[in-house]
Amino acid sequence: MKKLIILFSITVLFAGLVLASETAVINPTSMPEIGKASPLASSKFFVVEASIYGGMADVLLPLDTPDGAIAMVLGQQSLSAVTADNRILDCLQFSEEEMARMNIPAINSRIDLNSLRPGKNTLHLRGLAGNEPVKLVVAQPQSPVSLEVMVSPLAPRSGELVTVLARVMDNGTPTGVTISGSLPNSPSFVMNDKGENGDAVAGDGLYTATITAPVVDGFQGMNIRFYANGNRENGDEFRRDVINSIMVTNPVSRVDSANVRVDGRSLYIPLTAANGRFRVEAIFGYNGTAFTYAREDVVLSGNESVVRLEMPELAAGANHAVIRLLNIDNLGKEDEVEVALTPTAKAPDFESLRFATPVMPDSKANAAQKHENE
Amino acid sequence: MKNSFFRTLLVVFFCLLIAPTLSAATGAAFVHGKGDETLANYTVAWNYWTTDMLRASTNNWAVPYVVCHYDGRNYMWVAADTVAGQLYDFIVQNNINDLVINTHSFGGVVIRWIFSNPSWDWRYPTIINATRWVNTIAGPHKGSEAADLAGTLSGSWLTSWLVSLLNQNHDATMNCQTSWMAYYNDTWLYGTSGRPALPKSFWTISGYGLWNDWCAEDIGLATLSGIAGLPGEDDGMVAEYSAEGIGSLWFRTKANHHHNRRNDYRPIGDSLGTDFQ
């Protein structure tokens, strides 16, 4: 009989290990922000193109910092000469399969622009193939001039307003700055620093635009392209291009946040009528610190529903939660709300919840040592 | 007599239930990064790593291994389904209960999808439970500014020869853009700040070298890095802050993105092989 109990216990133990967990402790940190903004996109490069005539093209390049500047001529395999200011520039053709994996031609030419002077330069390209305009990406890594752009929120719903913020960073104060943007297949928009149409402060160097998240089919990530040009304090012209993105959801359901309630260890979350598969997740926090999490995947069949989320024991000490409704069928974020909770237990000791740093096994530590002085 | 018979039957039943576990084995899996559709071919995926890398990473073929192969253009969740099928079959057929998964580049994001979404696919829990840990080399866990550059060069504002390239449908590249990964890290993936921890350890290897052996690929990677402006140190494709964006840092290497999936410029494979010593 003893042997049976032991064997049964071992079986139950292994069976338990295969179940997926739907609650978790979070390493205490700030609560997620409703309507979180995108990462800051920053660029010191711009894209320029020129028409090809008889295998030749002249490309106008405004360079503010030629030191360390490089140009990449896209897709040209037969570039025979590059000159500027009556000098031959170093040009190196290369093949990089990683680029081909990213929608950039694998074979390109790299031109070092170190020897050019700040200001307007003309590159004369010879030996070009094809009739389509030649395209160059020009970067000035050592330039203090960069275009920075952020969009908020990163994950809007169709029809929601998105605030776009952009600025040109430089050592001095640039003048004559124009920053515009465009979504694919949409007219461009011009950003303003005049203190109007959503711009907070006129002339502070922070340019603003407000756009409306387009109607999409379900969920779609969309790149917004930005262009900036102007003059540095010393009069040198500059150009910069950058992209940032919005991840747009056309929602089919929402959280009825006014009727979210707690009963014992359960959080009841009413959802509006919809069809499909959804994930409801809740991040529980105390005074702005997130520390535990729960989620449930549900199937909605066209009626209003109330999802019961089992709260982790730790969540009894939470005084607020961020609830998200995610669409499993299209990976969109349908809704995101914050609700107040009444704690029924003491707030957790966050220090005791902090994740311990994993101990590196000896085999890995020994291997890591060999790479220390690479 | 009857009790004795049923007792014996129960003992035999439980022994059969746990017998597979008692004789389970250690194994290695390899998940490549993004690319084109040819990576769905096993031989192409093998050559992505090279024979010497696979040899060294398995401690001279000491453990059974699987080289996963998926269409390198796919979104992470599509790639994950293909990889999950191969990992699951490998685990079940070889009775693996101690799996080390080695990933390169986007392959790390694909595996993170599996480990963050155990309820997505019935095979995922088996894979997660069987895994000891994951070694993720140069994974764009917080995106890649090189992918952002690619995004800048894509889109309807381009001339036709580039538009034709877009027909290749490189969803994986879009997945790797920094804002796209910020979204997925905030919603569908585990392992970053404010999200639940991944259920198994992820050991990261980050690259900070560009000019390795001055071959043609080095020129391309160094050019890409210079133009895209990856912040901090990078390996030409993935900045270290991104490669170290989840899990625990194992080590840094000067091997660039071309070489850090190989055992040539630096003995990355030899280091991976220490997991089986």
Side-chain angles (χ1 to χ4, degrees):
Chain A
M1 196 59 195
K2 269 188 193 172
K3 286 180 191 172
L4 281 175
I5 293 170
I6 292 167
L7 286 171
F8 178 74
S9 302
I10 292 170
T11 307
V12 168
L13 179 64
F14 278 105
L17 285 172
V18 302
L19 297 177
S21 171
E22 293 187 349
T23 62
V25 175
I26 289 177
N27 206 10
T29 188
S30 302
M31 283 289 279
E33 196 185 321
I34 302 285
K36 185 177 171 178
S38 73
L40 186 72
S42 178
S43 159
K44 292 188 178 183
F45 67 82
F46 62 93
V47 183
V48 64
E49 65 177 54
S51 301
I52 299 175
Y53 299 103
M56 299 186 291
D58 290 342
V59 186
L60 287 171
L61 291 188
L63 291 179
D64 54 89
T65 311
D67 283 347
I70 49 177
M72 185 165 72
V73 184
L74 297 174
Q76 285 291 335
Q77 304 180 37
S78 59
L79 195 62
S80 59
V82 180
T83 58
D85 274 349
N86 294 316
R87 276 171 290 154
I88 297 172
L89 301 185
D90 289 333
C91 174
L92 202 57
Q93 289 188 14
F94 62 89
S95 172
E96 173 50 66
E97 62 188 55
E98 295 286 357
M99 290 186 176
R101 293 181 178 134
M102 298 195 307
N103 274 0
I104 304 173
I107 299 174
N108 305 281
S109 293
R110 170 194 171 114
I111 305 169
D112 288 317
L113 305 175
N114 277 320
S115 58
L116 300 184
R117 282 184 280 267
K120 286 184 183 169
N121 293 269
T122 303
L123 283 191
H124 306 286
L125 307 178
R126 304 289 180 264
L128 296 168
N131 297 316
E132 295 285 345
V134 63
K135 195 173 291 285
L136 285 76
V137 183
V138 181
Q140 300 170 81
Q142 295 179 29
S143 171
V145 183
S146 63
L147 171 61
E148 297 184 344
V149 176
M150 180 185 286
V151 296
S152 180
L154 167 64
R157 282 163 279 280
S158 289
E160 279 187 356
L161 295 179
V162 177
T163 301
V164 184
L165 295 171
R167 63 183 173 189
V168 173
M169 299 296 288
D170 194 357
N171 289 339
T173 305
T175 58
V177 174
T178 302
I179 305 178
S180 60
S182 65
L183 283 142
N185 303 312
S186 297
S188 62
F189 55 88
V190 178
M191 303 185 68
N192 91 89
D193 187 21
K194 297 176 184 170
E196 56 195 34
N197 292 331
D199 183 52
V201 178
D204 65 346
L206 198 57
Y207 289 71
T208 311
T210 304
I211 60 175
T212 303
V215 174
V216 299
D217 183 15
F219 169 69
Q220 188 177 341
M222 311 183 86
N223 288 340
I224 310 174
R225 175 90 177 262
F226 296 90
Y227 315 79
N229 55 56
N231 295 91
R232 299 191 68 199
E233 214 169 70
N234 63 4
D236 287 340
E237 187 183 337
F238 68 83
R239 282 184 54 178
R240 294 293 184 266
D241 296 347
V242 79
I243 63 161
N244 210 320
S245 311
I246 48 174
M247 311 298 284
V248 185
T249 301
N250 197 355
V252 296
S253 184
R254 304 298 292 256
V255 174
D256 178 5
S257 54
N259 291 306
V260 171
R261 64 183 180 89
V262 175
D263 188 352
R265 283 270 308 273
S266 298
L267 182 65
Y268 291 89
I269 302 166
L271 304 177
T272 59
N275 282 305
R277 299 178 304 157
F278 299 85
R279 172 168 297 169
V280 179
E281 62 173 31
I283 299 140
F284 300 91
Y286 181 81
N287 287 357
T289 300
F291 61 93
T292 192
Y293 168 93
R295 80 178 197 203
E296 189 79 33
D297 291 352
V298 299
V299 177
L300 300 185
S301 305
N303 299 316
E304 289 175 354
S305 302
V306 178
V307 175
R308 185 184 81 86
L309 210 62
E310 186 167 337
M311 293 169 62
E313 198 173 327
L314 268 180
N319 63 1
H320 61 147
V322 167
I323 297 171
R324 289 182 175 150
L325 178 62
L326 306 177
N327 189 314
I328 294 176
D329 293 323
N330 63 29
L331 301 185
K333 186 194 286 188
E334 298 275 323
D335 202 358
E336 182 176 49
V337 300
E338 185 162 3
V339 297
L341 300 174
T342 302
T344 55
K346 208 173 139 190
D349 172 13
F350 294 135
E351 285 313 304
S352 69
L353 294 181
R354 294 214 183 277
F355 294 171
T357 304
V359 175
M360 190 179 293
D362 288 344
S363 60
K364 281 195 174 310
N366 293 336
Q369 256 190 337
K370 292 178 184 169
H371 291 275
E372 263 172 29
N373 299 314
E374 276 197 7
Chain B
M1 178 92 174
K2 207 176 175 180
N3 281 344
S4 175
F5 169 76
F6 280 116
R7 211 177 292 150
T8 306
L9 203 62
L10 275 168
V11 169
V12 169
F13 170 75
F14 283 122
C15 285
L16 285 172
L17 208 57
I18 65 171
T21 310
L22 289 175
S23 64
T26 297
F30 297 86
V31 184
H32 60 75
K34 61 178 170 57
D36 59 27
E37 69 276 14
T38 62
L39 276 165
N41 177 282
Y42 182 81
T43 303
V44 175
W46 179 285
N47 291 334
Y48 177 98
W49 295 98
T50 72
T51 300
D52 189 59
M53 177 65 160
L54 296 170
R55 174 203 60 76
S57 302
T58 55
N59 194 19
N60 288 314
W61 315 117
V63 295
Y65 60 90
V66 60
V67 179
C68 296
H69 45 103
Y70 65 90
D71 183 336
R73 303 167 298 175
N74 284 333
Y75 285 125
M76 67 179 90
W77 47 90
V78 177
D81 281 352
T82 304
V83 168
Q86 295 163 7
L87 289 177
Y88 180 86
D89 289 347
F90 173 69
I91 288 167
V92 168
Q93 289 163 12
N94 293 276
N95 219 16
I96 303 293
N97 74 335
D98 178 40
L99 178 68
V100 173
I101 304 178
N102 297 311
T103 72
H104 182 255
S105 194
F106 184 66
V109 178
V110 171
I111 288 299
R112 259 182 82 205
W113 174 271
I114 293 174
F115 281 64
S116 302
N117 294 282
S119 54
W120 182 270
D121 185 294
W122 62 274
R123 298 166 295 191
Y124 287 13
T126 299
I127 296 165
I128 295 168
N129 289 337
T131 298
R132 184 202 305 175
W133 56 54
V134 177
N135 297 315
T136 163
I137 308 168
H141 296 295
K142 291 193 170 181
S144 162
E145 287 77 5
D148 292 349
L149 170 64
T152 306
L153 300 177
S154 299
S156 62
W157 46 72
L158 290 181
T159 51
S160 59
W161 65 268
L162 272 174
V163 170
S164 66
L165 283 178
L166 296 180
N167 291 334
Q168 292 175 26
N169 191 25
H170 283 210
D171 297 335
T173 300
M174 291 190 285
N175 262 176
C176 290
Q177 288 180 202
T178 53
S179 284
W180 289 54
M181 278 304 297
Y183 174 78
Y184 296 120
N185 281 335
D186 193 47
T187 51
W188 298 96
L189 295 174
Y190 285 178
T192 52
S193 176
R195 298 291 292 164
L198 289 156
K200 292 292 171 76
S201 296
F202 273 59
W203 296 98
T204 63
I205 299 169
S206 62
Y208 65 97
L210 292 174
W211 299 99
N212 285 178
D213 54 16
W214 294 80
C215 61
E217 286 90 357
D218 284 12
I219 300 170
L221 286 177
T223 303
L224 195 60
S225 174
I227 290 179
L230 284 76
E233 302 282 1
D234 64 272
D235 69 356
M237 284 284 293
V238 179
E240 284 202 293
Y241 85 89
S242 182
E244 297 170 19
I246 55 127
S248 306
L249 176 65
W250 182 5
F251 62 86
R252 303 170 66 218
T253 177
K254 280 186 183 168
N256 63 27
H257 206 74
H258 175 72
H259 286 290
N260 57 32
R261 57 180 153 111
R262 297 188 164 100
N263 200 42
D264 48 17
Y265 181 72
R266 286 293 183 267
I268 311 290
D270 291 348
S271 296
L272 294 180
T274 62
D275 283 348
F276 307 112
Q277 285 172 356

